[in-house]
Structure formats: C-alpha cells, structure tokens
Amino acid sequence: MNTDFSTILRSLNLKITPKRIAILDILMNESSYLSPEEIWTRMKKQFRSVGLPTIYRNLEELSERNIISKVTHPNRQLYYYFCANRSHHHHFVCLSCRNVEDINFCALDELRREVKRKHNGKVISHILQVNGYCRNCLNKEGKDNEI
Amino acid sequence: MNTDFSTILRSLNLKITPKRIAILDILMNESSYLSPEEIWTRMKKQFRSVGLPTIYRNLEELSERNIISKVTHPNRQLYYYFCANRSHHHHFVCLSCRNVEDINFCALDELRREVKRKHNGKVISHILQVNGYCRNCLNKEGKDNEI
DNA sequence: ACTTTAAATAGAACTCATTTCTATTTAAGT
DNA sequence: ACTTAAATAGAAATGAGTTCTATTTAAAGT
C-alpha cells in the first residue's frame, strides 16, 4: 500500500511525507467524502501534532493534481473531498447518511453539443452532483437529516 | 415593473418592501449572476442605509421560494445568485467574464434511471454547473482569469 | 386617517472555515 | 553526513456569512 502511495507522490513531484501518505490512506479507505476537519480528527490519532493548514494545503495540492476531487455541499458551502484517482465521473450523495457513490454516467457529449449549438460557447469542465437517498437509507426510511 | 414584483411578493406572502423590490429589480435586469456584496454595492446607491444582512436574508428567502437561484462558484465557493422564476434549468458559466447563460438541457431522466438501476437509490435533486468560455470571450481570446 | 402588531431592517458583534506568516523540521539529492 | 528547498506547526489574520437587539415599517383592522 505505502509503496503505491509513494509511487503516486513521486510521479507528481511531491515529497513522500508520512502525513501525505496518511491523508491518501484515509481518503482511499473511506467510501464517503470527508471534510478537512474530519480528516484532521483522524490524523490526530496517528500523529502527535498535525496542523489543520497542513491538511488544507495537501488536499489542495492533491486535488489540483487530480488525485482526489472536491465536492461543494449545497447547504453550507464547505469543501468536501473524496478520493478519486479515476477517470471522470460524478457523485451520488445521500442526503441522509452523506455516503457518496460514484456515478458512471455522464451526458458531457450532449452537453457540449448543446452549448456549442445554442450558445456558441466552449465547455471546459462541469460539476454534476446528484442528491437523493441511498439504498440503505431508503430501507431504513431514516430520511430525517434533510438538506 | 413594480406592480409585477409586488404581485410576486404578495403571492409568496412576503411583505412588499422597497428593498425587496430593489433586489428583485437588480437581479432581473442583470444577465450575469451577482454576489451578495455586488448587490449590496448597487443597493447602497439607491438607499441611504442598507445592511448586508438584509441582502443575505432576502436572497435566502427568495431562493427558498424558487424566485431566484443559487450558484456556487468553483473557485472560491461563494454564493452567487441569479434571477430565475423559471422551471428547472442549468447554468453555463463563463470562466472568463463570469457571465451566466441558462442551459435548457437536462439529463435528469437518464440519471434517475441509472441511479435506480445501478445503485437502488432515489434521486431528489441535482446540481449541474457547466464551466467554459462564452461566445464573446472566445472571440476576444481573452481567457486570462482562469479557474 | 389612526392604531396595532408582526415582519423587516440597521448596525454591531460574532462565528468559523480557510488562509497567511514565520520559524523550525525534514526529505532527498550530493 | 551535508545541504537545501520543500513541508510543517502553531499562531494570527481574513472574510463570507450569521446572530442579536433595538428600531422601523408594511399592512390589517378600526
């Protein structure tokens, strides 16, 4: 595992530090997305001292390099991060348990055509976030923490 | 014009105040989306005293009632608002001039099917924001203020 | 028009996520 | 081991958005 992260970091010209590896490790092993604070909390269990700015700095660097990705929550527009060294995809966010699943569906091509045809513009990127209720929460009918 | 806004406000059970009308007026007559601060700046030209909290409160109330809508900017995730007493649609945001155009394209149905079929989940809402360069900025080749 | 009252507002103070700054530590190439 | 640029801790600053309280105002009833 560590070897894996080291390889990733080396290929990005980032120094291989214990904290970078820990951040990647936390994100990789989490199916839901995490706020910087949540990552910080987990880090503090592993390290005697970690600064929150370190978390922010690393998350920013890693997301700039497309190793992890950002999600903005509709309510309080805080940053949330999610691991993804994968190709383009979208997120299905459960409004109840906040779990995130990847959606391998994308209408980018149609979108591009529409924008080209009707607006004469050029699409560079897009954000698609789908909110709803996941399998588990639908079964439990525990749909309390609404958005 | 004023009559129009008054009717809207009355139908929403909101008191008809000069400031509410002014906010609606500013948004309706702007093709681009505006930050609360930008709206505040314009308001201060019309009123001797306006509080920024008033702007926030009203924008929130109006967007809850779907008279205007929110956009979160990919960079600094600040709130931006855009007038829209229209049905469901999405935004094409120019990365250069920040102009916003409505996109009358939505893949919600396919999305719903995908989430149902592959995830057994239920879609409640979604956010689609498309970033790119608009006609004008493509012509000018003035694509400096990157993301 | 005059009263009444609940909603709306101004302005100050506060909150809290994110960023900046500076001195110290550390990874990694020589 | 030595060197140096990158990474970090911790404190302090920033700034968007919110809360609080006293005052004003829209609008419903008289």
Side-chain angles (χ1 to χ4, degrees), chain A residues 44-61:
Chain A
K44 282 187 285 191
K45 287 173 189 161
Q46 297 179 46
F47 299 92
R48 194 155 40 73
S49 68
V50 213
L52 193 46
T54 301
I55 310 291
Y56 276 99
R57 196 175 349 91
N58 277 298
L59 290 173
E60 192 54 36
E61 283 165 352

